Amino acid sequence: MLSNVNWSYSPCLLAFFHVTHFKQKLHLYPICNLFKQRGVKLLYRAQKEISAISAWENTKKSAVEAKLKKLEEQLEKKKAEYGEKMKNKVAQIHKEAEEKRAMVEAKRGEEFLKAEEMAAKYRATGQVPKKLFGCF
């Protein structure tokens, strides 16, 4: 009820302006003080509640920001771990590729030695291989 009062048009102020009798003015003066005191109390209470709400808001904001920062740190950690796993996979693939290359080189070397041995055998015997002209 008192929170909706417009203090510029309060009954005590209107009483001062409209009542001309001194006795009535003196009689309404304590009522005006009462309204002013209640208004001041209401104002202080409202300010106290507003500051409490602001403190609550700041606390909640800081809690959410801390949670967000923690989540960002966890994501960065997971990103680093995943990056490390991918680097390890790349290294493993490179290692496997090197092993396969070495196997191909070894097989080529064996086939080359086998061909050299066959050529030496045919040179020694003077025979012509039967499969030499197989494509014609």
Side-chain angles (χ1 to χ4, degrees), residues 62-80:
S62 63
V64 169
E65 288 172 357
K67 190 174 183 180
L68 177 65
K69 187 176 180 180
K70 185 178 179 181
L71 287 174
E72 286 176 349
E73 289 173 357
Q74 288 176 349
L75 286 174
E76 286 295 322
K77 185 179 178 182
K78 285 184 180 182
K79 182 180 175 183

Side-chain angles (χ1 to χ4, degrees), residues 123-134:
R123 277 188 220 119
T125 60
Q127 293 180 342
V128 177
K130 295 178 185 175
K131 291 188 179 180
L132 183 63
F133 299 111

Side-chain angles (χ1 to χ4, degrees), residues 15-81:
F16 278 123
F17 292 119
H18 295 294
V19 179
T20 56
H21 197 268
F22 182 71
K23 217 179 218 186
Q24 289 178 341
K25 285 184 186 179
L26 288 179
H27 178 67
L28 292 176
Y29 187 72
I31 296 172
C32 290
N33 280 337
L34 179 68
F35 279 120
K36 286 181 184 179
Q37 287 175 355
R38 285 185 184 171
V40 169
K41 284 181 182 179
L42 289 173
L43 179 66
Y44 286 145
R45 185 183 304 152
Q47 286 177 347
K48 186 177 179 182
E49 290 176 2
I50 288 172
S51 66
I53 291 169
S54 296
W56 174 82
E57 178 186 18
N58 292 337
T59 303
K60 293 296 183 178
K61 275 185 184 179
S62 63
V64 169
E65 288 172 357
K67 190 174 183 180
L68 177 65
K69 187 176 180 180
K70 185 178 179 181
L71 287 174
E72 286 176 349
E73 289 173 357
Q74 288 176 349
L75 286 174
E76 286 295 322
K77 185 179 178 182
K78 285 184 180 182
K79 182 180 175 183
E81 289 174 359

